């Protein structure tokens, strides 16, 4: 039977049942018609399939799997081929575990370095984020395993992520926050998309027709299915009208009933429900067709994890060529992460890795004269000291945000102590997001290993030893202070409304616009060799299409790789815009002494901006400057071109510092008022602040916290951190209570 035949056979009850998950990780099945349930599991940088698969998140261990480098590191490779290889390997593991859909990649823009979940996201730039996301999707999906591009959209902080309202102007939305989703959909058609928890301009993503239908399907041509984030469903009936296909997790009998009743009463057209069902059936049939029994080679996958990590780590400083290490010298190794590196983030993406190696052991294995010590004194008299530090999982993780940009004080102190006894200090850092480096000018070398996945030790040692030449470049800016960050005053405050007042000035767009110094700019990264750029040519190859050619020569003494970045600027623009924007890039491997010609194509999109008055992307007519650059602040060559377009470009009249509401229709900000009465969207924090409700809901709260409150692992930390920000509707689902019963209790309370 094809999808239409199956649909014809379904009763209204069965159709309604399909719109809600069967359990925590399965979609509903209709056995009498041979429609299997689809098994979905996290992602994104490996397979996290719980052993007790029907059960709630974190309640049981997950199966062993390869922990590939999380997005914060893999994005720094600027190498889609490498990320596609990761996807390919993840798919083999998914197939071997009968997993139909991997819940990833996460493609949200890094709006602030404080977002606790930045480690799971790629970049502050939509082009780079989309290229990485598309590569992972392509790698996974070419094996018949599905993906879920998430979290769509505007989920850029963890605090109050279930109920916050991202207030964003349409230009920033189209150019920055939706752009990477648009490109990934157009370039790689993920089989599913996961909507975010939050509201966007006053409307929950889960029932936002503009987002899920008008943008995603009508404008971008998305063919797949939309699933909620876990517990994100706000209004099931409204969601169906908006194009939200499956509510997860399940079961949720109350919502099934609501859907049935809505069709019976005429509030929901059966044809709208049919559209949703067809998409669900199609995914299930595809999943069934693509399942196959496979195994994978654990060692081989570990080597892939290692290859991605070495191809992505970023060398930020290397004075006196202290790196690579020298086998004739003696080194002292100190720091908490030298023997036990932090290699992945915590929360829903946490993989139960096969095995993790340590950088210290790997350096020993390579034959270096290294001694490990907890005492800095050991560094005295050695040729150099290598300090391993970073962010700990108590500081960053899913479900909560960081409070500041500092590394743990004890980690910074260790570097300072090392500097007191040895002038040659190398710092190796494991962390998922940008941080401050008070010792930056005093140490000789800095290697940013981010979170490298299970081959952390081998990969770090490969780079330190120079067995592989570092070639990663930052996919985000490292600022000089928290106060310098674009959304400093508007990030994770206690308010539900999150005003994106910096508009399109996100990441380097902001720092460049205001000529602000930074700690390390977007796109930067050193190598053990040097590259020289020459002979840049830009040729028009079609209407507003250009081929940029530039020669790059490896003029140092080691083979290496360079990421050529193309930034576009319009110096005489009539409208407000970022100073320069990344519009293309290519990573090239060049042997020492050799030269290659790099070609990068610019399309009309490379020159477009979003015009709110025209309600579409538009191109301003005029001269554009195209830079061939080694980083966002290291422009090597440029060339000017004329681009044909609109001589009268139109944007909302606004500049940074002007009233934010000028960017919105009728100058009215789509903010939501705080609820006066408790409702299903009230958070546990709201409930605990209400004397009456607190007592009544105590059993529900206890049931939610019981499995986690006495544990100290990453998953429990996340579940506890999220608790206060979780609305009652989601808490009910998470603990398997009836939403209708909770709603009755709330209504009884508020009537009194
Ligand atoms: C996360 C998603 C994840 C889902 C299932 C949610 O809390 O936001 O990224 O896929 O849980 O674990």
């Amino acid at each position: 039977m094809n999808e239409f035949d199956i649909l014809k056979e379904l009763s209204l009850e069965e159709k309604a049942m399909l719109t809600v998950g069967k359990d925590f990780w399965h979609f509903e099945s209709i056995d009498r018609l041979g429609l299997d349930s689809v098994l979905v599991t996290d992602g994104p940088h490996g397979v996290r399939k719980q052993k007790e698969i029907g059960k709630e998140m974190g309640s049981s261990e997950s199966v062993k799997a390869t922990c590939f480098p999380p997005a914060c590191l893999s994005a720094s490779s600027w190498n889609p081929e490498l990320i596609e290889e990761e996807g390919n390997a993840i798919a083999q593991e998914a197939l071997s575990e009968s997993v139909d859909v991997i819940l990833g990649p996460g493609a949200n823009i890094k709006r602030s370095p404080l977002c606790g979940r930045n480690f799971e996201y790629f970049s502050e730039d939509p082009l780079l984020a989309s290229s990485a996301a598309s590569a992972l999707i392509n790698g996974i999906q070419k094996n018949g395993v599905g993906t879920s591009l998430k979290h769509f959209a505007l989920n850029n902080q963890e605090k109050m992520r279930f109920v916050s309202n991202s207030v964003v102007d349409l230009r920033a939305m189209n150019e920055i926050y939706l752009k990477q989703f648009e490109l990934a959909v157009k370039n790689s058609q993920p089989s599913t998309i996961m909507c975010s928890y939050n509201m966007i301009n006053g409307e929950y993503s889960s029932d936002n027709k503009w987002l899920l239908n008008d943008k995603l399907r009508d404008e971008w041509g998305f063919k797949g299915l939309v699933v909620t984030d876990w517990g994100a469903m706000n209004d099931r009936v409204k969601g169906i009208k908006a194009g939200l296909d499956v509510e997860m997790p399940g079961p949720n009998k109350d919502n099934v009933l609501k859907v049935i009743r809505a069709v019976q009463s005429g509030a929901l057209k059966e044809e709208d429900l049919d559209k949703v069902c067809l998409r669900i059936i199609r995914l299930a049939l595809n999943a069934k067709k693509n399942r196959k029994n496979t195994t994978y080679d654990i060692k081989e996958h570990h080597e892939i994890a290692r290859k991605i990590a070495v191809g992505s780590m970023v060398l930020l400083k290397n004075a006196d060529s202290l790196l690579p290490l020298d086998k004739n010298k003696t080194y002292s190794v100190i720091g908490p992460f030298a023997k036990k590196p932090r290699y992945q983030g915590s929360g829903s993406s946490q993989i139960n890795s096969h095995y993790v190696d340590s950088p210290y052991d790997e350096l020993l294995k390579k034959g270096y004269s290294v001694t490990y010590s907890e005492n800095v004194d050991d560094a005295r008299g050695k040729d150099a000291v290598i300090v391993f530090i970073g962010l700990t999982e108590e500081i960053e993780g899913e479900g909560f945000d960081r409070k500041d940009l500092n590394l743990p004080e004890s980690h910074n102190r260790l570097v300072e102590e090392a500097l007191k006894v040895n002038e040659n200090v190398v710092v190796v850092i494991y962390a998922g997001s940008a941080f401050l480096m008070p010792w930056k000018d005093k140490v000789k070398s800095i290697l940013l290993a981010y979170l490298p996945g299970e081959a952390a030790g081998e990969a770090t040692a490969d780079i330190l030893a120079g067995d592989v030449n570092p070639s990663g470049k930052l996919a985000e800016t490292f600022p000089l202070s928290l106060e310098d960050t674009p959304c400093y005053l508007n990030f994770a405050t206690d308010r539900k409304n999150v005003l994106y007042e910096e508009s399109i000035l996100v990441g380097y767009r902001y720092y460049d616009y205001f000529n602000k110094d930074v700690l390390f700019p977007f796109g930067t990264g050193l190598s053990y060799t040097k590259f020289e750029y020459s002979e840049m040519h830009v040729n028009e190859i079609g209407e507003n299409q250009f081929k940029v050619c530039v020669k790059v020569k490896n003029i140092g003494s080691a083979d290496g790789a360079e990421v050529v970045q193309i930034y576009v600027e319009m110096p005489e623009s009539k409208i407000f815009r970022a100073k320069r924007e990344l519009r293309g890039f290519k990573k090239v491997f060049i042997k020492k002494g050799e030269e290659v010609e790099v070609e990068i194509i610019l399309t009309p999109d490379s020159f477009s901006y979003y015009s709110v008055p025209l309600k579409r992307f538009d191109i301003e007519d005029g001269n554009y400057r195209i830079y061939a650059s080694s980083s966002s602040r290291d422009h090597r060559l440029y060339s000017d071109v004329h681009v044909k377009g609109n001589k009268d470009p139109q944007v909302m009249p606004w500049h940074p510092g002007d009233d934010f509401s000028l960017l919105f229709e009728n100058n009215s900000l789509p903010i939501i008022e705080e609820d006066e009465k408790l409702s299903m969207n009230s958070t546990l924090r709201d409930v605990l602040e209400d004397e009456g409700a607190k007592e009544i809901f105590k059993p529900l709260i206890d049931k939610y916290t019981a499995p986690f409150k006495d544990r100290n692992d990453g998953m429990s930390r996340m579940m506890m951190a999220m608790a206060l920000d979780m609305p009652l509707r989601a808490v009910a689902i998470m603990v398997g209570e009836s939403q209708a019963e909770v709603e009755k209790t709330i209504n009884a309370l508020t009537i009194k």
Side-chain angles (χ1 to χ4, degrees), residues 24-25 41-43 48 57 103-104 117 120 150-151 155 158 161-162 194 197 229-230 348-349 398 718 722 734:
F24 233 82
W25 306 107
T41 67
D42 286 300
R48 192 181 73 87
M57 210 183 303
L103 300 174
R117 210 174 177 182
E120 245 186 279
K150 64 191 187 183
H151 308 88
N155 174 190
E158 290 300 279
R161 65 175 169 157
F162 280 89
M194 185 191 289
Y197 286 121
D229 198 345
W230 269 226
S348 62
S349 67
E398 182 180 342
M718 167 183 103
M722 287 182 345
M734 296 290 173

Side-chain angles (χ1 to χ4, degrees), residues 322 325-333 367-371 378-386 422 424 426:
L322 193 56
L325 304 177
D326 183 338
K327 287 223 167 107
N328 299 316
K329 291 188 173 163
T330 56
Y331 298 96
S332 168
V333 169
Y368 285 93
S369 167
V370 286
T371 49
D378 181 67
R380 216 183 283 277
K382 296 278 166 55
D383 289 306
V385 48
I386 315 170
N422 197 313
N424 292 325
V426 177

Side-chain angles (χ1 to χ4, degrees), residues 503-562:
S503 185
I504 58 168
L505 296 182
V506 179
Y508 67 88
R509 287 170 169 81
Y510 173 86
Y511 300 104
D512 287 354
Y513 185 89
F514 289 108
N515 288 323
K516 269 185 188 289
D517 285 341
V518 296
L519 189 62
F520 288 105
F522 174 83
T524 203
L526 302 174
S527 163
Y528 294 145
T529 187
K530 284 205 165 13
F531 300 99
E532 193 178 73
Y533 288 48
S534 65
E535 295 182 45
M536 178 181 185
H537 302 284
V538 181
N539 296 318
E540 189 154 9
I541 51 168
E543 170 92 0
N544 290 343
Q545 292 208 28
F546 298 89
K547 182 155 87 178
V548 184
C549 300
V550 62
K551 288 198 170 152
V552 183
K553 186 169 185 185
N554 181 341
I555 53 168
S557 53
D559 298 346
E562 167 70 332

Side-chain angles (χ1 to χ4, degrees), residues 677-680 697 740-752:
K677 286 202 288 188
L678 289 179
S679 72
M680 288 300 274
F697 285 110
E741 289 303 316
V742 175
E743 198 164 7
K744 262 193 226 154
T745 315
I746 281 283
N747 290 342
L749 259 175
T750 47
I751 286 164
K752 260 199 285 175

Side-chain angles (χ1 to χ4, degrees), residues 215-244:
K215 274 272 149 198
L216 181 61
R217 293 198 164 96
D218 289 352
E219 207 179 304
W220 304 344
F222 176 62
K223 303 269 181 296
L225 167 153
V226 181
V227 57
T228 60
D229 198 345
W230 269 226
M233 191 74 248
N234 176 49
D235 179 332
R236 184 56 290 205
V237 173
K238 200 173 163 204
I240 288 173
K241 294 181 191 167
L244 188 289

